[in-house]
Amino acid sequence: MGLNQLWLVPALPLLGAILNGIAAGKLPRKVVSVIGVGSVGLSLLIALACFRELLALPEDARRVTQGLFTWVQSGDFQADVRYALDPLGAVMMLVVTGVGFLIHVYSTGYMGHEKAYGRYFSFLNLFTFSMLTLVLADNFLLMFLGWEAVGLCSYLLIGFGYQRPAAAEAGKKAFVVNRIGDWGFLLGIFLIFVTFGTLDFSAVFAQAPQKLAVGSALAAAIALLLFLGAVGKSAQIPLYVWLPDAMEGPTPVSALIHAATMVTAGVYMVARCHVLYLLSPVALLTVAIVGAATALFAATIGLVQNDIKRVLAYSTVSQLGYMFLACGVGAFASGIFHLMTHAFFKALLFLGAGSVIHALSGEQDLWKMGGLKPHLPRTHATVLVATLAIAGIFPFAGFFSKDEILWNAWLHGGPVLWGAGVVGAFLTAFYMFRLYFLTFGGRSRVTEEAKHHLHESPNSMTVPLIILAVLSLVGGLVQVPLLSGGQRLDAFLEPVFADAALVAGTGVAHGAASVAGSAAAHGAASGAAHAPGVEITLMVISLIVALSGIFVAHRFYVADPDLPCRLAERAKGFYRLLFNKYWIDEVYDSRIVQPIYRGSVRLWERFDAAVIDGAVNGVGKQIERGAALLRQAQTGYVQVYALILTLGAVVVLGYLALR
Amino acid sequence: MTGHGVPLELYQLVAALLFTIGLVGVLVRRSALVIFMSIELMLNAVNLSFVAFSRLHGQMDGQIFVFFVMSVAAAEVAVGLAILVAIFRNRETASVDDVHLLKG
Amino acid sequence: MSPAFTVLGVPILTFLTFFPTVGALLLLLLPSARPGAIRAAAFLVSLITFAASIPLFTQFDSTSRGMQFTEQAPWVPGLGISYHLGVDGISMLLIMLTTLLTAVSILASFSAITSRVKAYMVTFLLLETGMIGVFAALDLVLFYVFWEVMLIPMYLLIGVWGGPRRVYAAVKFILYTVAGSLLMLVAILYLYFAHHGATGMYTFDLLELYDTPLMRGAQLWLFGAFAIAFAIKVPMFPFHTWLPDAHAEAPTAGSVILAGVLLKMGVYGFVRFAMPLFPEAAFAYTPWIIGLSLIGIVYGALVAMVQQDVKKLVAYSSVSHLGFVMLGLFVWNTQGIQGGILQSINHGLSTGALFLAVGILYERRHTREIGEFGGLSETLPWFAALFLIVCLSSIGLPGLNGFIGEFLVLLGAFRASPVVSAVAATGVILAAVYLLWMFQRVMFGPVTNEKNRGLKDLTRREFWTLAPVIFFIIWIGVYPNTFLRKLDTSVAELMDRVHARTLSLGAPPVPGASLAPGAGLVRGTSLAPTAPQPDPPAGAGGAD
């Protein structure tokens, strides 16, 4: 087992999905679990074997492809079903299979009482297949297949409890909003094909520096169209609105799809296409600004939400913004690093939240929790680790990854982007500890009935929590700053992002291109080369900011529990603005959705029915009216007809005779 | 080639006379039965004409046409009379003025 | 020319065309009092026809140009009319689609049609003869005869076995279509005499008429006449209003055939007749047709979104989808035309299956109002799964058939004009909106209507009506090359024929091609150098 079996990594979950799908609930739960979890587990093992073989290869040969068959060929267009593994793909593959496997295990406990157990695992396996296809695809079209297929699975799993109208609605919203992004992605793919004559990654990225001038409109168009797809999938401004609603899905689904993997696909895509972005400073700047703005914007909403999962959802949107910020300043490896650590601690947070919800028989309101620490010891400990990690406290994983982003933002993006990131970091620390204190700290506000059933979750749920907690704790150590040789992830990813240097090396003295150059240099394991003093200062600042966020949260929700209410009273307008999420959903509905709907009704009634059908039926009416005139001549007396006939004949004959 | 001396014009004259009688009959009479007979007169006028021309040109085509006309006329009379009988049974009349139902 | 292939001693195309008629005659001998036997016999006939059409696919030589399985015999030699049949890749696939959908439709009618079963089945089989004849005929008179022959059974299907407003719908359907086809008849006659004028030979043979030299002015008129006939059939905006009525009133199987096959005849008419016969005019009309296609795509989707009647929703979605097909044909490059033809096959499968699914619902509840349903996933899980796959295929999800067609069409359109492609691609977004919204209202949510509570899931027969269609939906989505390769030479031949006669004209005037921001950026998009070259043969692709 190894690289020759690469195709099995996505194929096994697909097989599991088909088996569980066709069996349609006829199999006993045990068998369903074995198929569902086993297929992903096997896939994880093969992924690890592939990873080991990849590591054994020399650095510049770490790109292996495996073609299965030609998918679509028409004229000079061709796209294959072909998988490729390179360091970037390997990181994603391990995250997907690893976190995915843990969440599958967790699901056996969390969804244990679910009626449609088989359906659930079938969808979850299908998602794993799709996500792996997305990250292992060797061309844009296959990537798009995975891209849309994860969207489908997201739709199916959000709407898993389809009996609730809100769930069904959220699923549809997610799909449609994603489609808006995919519109851009699709056009981007066309533009790439028209420009390069191929959709294969290696060919496109190799030709890009020659075919596209730095800063050209074409490069910007390609990069921005692709980015529109990323904005949709990764829930950035202005297409983020679907993600909070997606929390209608089961919690493990939120953890896997809407936190750890699918929503990061946009970041992966931007990183994968980094060559194209580096050729367009405008696009890079857009990515950075959108990322920073989203990071800040979503964090402010997260401050005041009361649903535990929604807080986490806005936190996810915000963290994804950080990843885009990293990509936007050319630090793609940092973006991927944060993607990885985020996958660990955010999955853990969701699963922990799921454990809490499970324990409270479905309660999601933070104000009906509190004081759970003694009741849920394992959950509490692991969630605390994750909260510290996301808040960016040394030495948890989030500290390293977030700090690296902030450092790069300072270095290549300037103080404004850095400042936005730091403020976001403060807010993150605050709302995450608000969530933590409201859930586990203080006195209990749990309803009597829920208290009755209060219990720690079974091992199938807590063991994945513990594993993820360990990963959240040590995950950052693959990339230790300032230490020479400490940036192992950077070094591993270096062959992928090396061509960034190539692009920059084309000798353009453009601002963002130099960003690219230094980013590449940053990747080249020379972290200590640039001003360690500044880096340490910044590190300390962000640590202080995070700690003060925690301190404020403690003051608000533990030391003086009435303070938040008083504050909300004082800044009532602002509070309501945040609480209602800036009324963005309402604005979209009244400014976009409703006008389109009403306009369509008008088109149908006033144009289709009135104008076109009116014309058609009008012709019929006119003919009827004309016929009414003509039929006056029909008297019914045959002899009158005969007389007219005769006269007619006489006239004709007379004309012929006298002519 | 009117071999036996009767000139073509005479045949034509008789045919035209017959046709006119028939035509007037169709137009002025009210009894369906008489109208039928008048139609027969018109058809036979045409037949006479056909035969005369056939003789003139020495070709058989005209005479063959006459057979067609006669057989069609026979069929027509059969169908027509059947309709007439049906109408008479229903309405107890054979006058065409009483059956002007097909009007606008 | 391929060697003559026979079934039971009869040349295959003649067999396929007339076996349903023979079957219909035999059906007449069965006693009306035994509907079960009549149904089984009719299904058997359609199944044999489908089985007999399989060699058409397997024996088809996708490397050779020209018509295959040809048969020619004089019919009315004095007027130059001959019984000339033959297929290329395009018509071969459409005949396969016809035989498949006919069999499926007859199976789907078992429980839906309870009155005048014998007449229904006879009508249906005669319809099949007409449809296959249309796709196989290579003589314009023969084509016209089949074209009209097929109208009558469809008229009866809607008018006799339809819903409450069936007479209005049937009359609207036939008047629309006949109005168009009469224009076409006039154009055929003009072409016939023009050919005589140029060559001194009277013939209605299509392959001969292809080379008739025509003045530009005459071409414009003739193309216009053909185009209106076919545009009504497609239907293109604004000739589409017969479709929602016809679909809404027709019985399930009628809707399946109407959407699945009859609409394809308009598309086929453009590909086989209007475009190659009058290439200059086709170029001249290109901006108009593309404009109408774009309007159709967006307009059909928007109006579909607000329908309350499931069948009308699907009917308007057809207007949108057929807009993609027409767009593909008129961007004049390989991807566009192949995608357009594939998309018309896809539409036949997806929309056919959608109507089957709606019919299954209708048989249970006798209503098509979306508001009457809700929460059906609970009671009909198997149905929900299959219905979802069909909807997703129509939405154009990668991995299912609709995506391949739409992708190629949009890619082709993008090469011609990025703006056109960008507008058309909004149809893809809207498709997700109206279909998923419909699916949500019908299948999801709690069961609010008591009548929906005790419904039975799919019967075995119903499952087997949907299963073969879904089988092809997945096949085309995963491995479309099986079908695309059959189109290679036929499409190349069409493009060669057109370009040979329009060399002086250069690229067709696709709107926005020069205005588009991409036009300056995009290298190698000018059609003239890329389009007319025959594409590399199938074997070349796919080699690693």
Side-chain angles (χ1 to χ4, degrees), chain C residues 354-367:
Chain C
L354 275 177
F355 278 120
L356 286 174
V358 175
I360 289 169
L361 286 182
Y362 184 79
E363 276 185 50
R364 283 164 175 64
R365 286 290 324 280
H366 296 282
T367 176

Side-chain angles (χ1 to χ4, degrees), chain A residues 15 43 113 159 174 180 293 337 362 365 393 423 590:
Chain A
L15 185 70
S43 168
H113 311 296
I180 296 173
F337 181 32
D365 190 341
I393 303 300
V423 175
S590 68

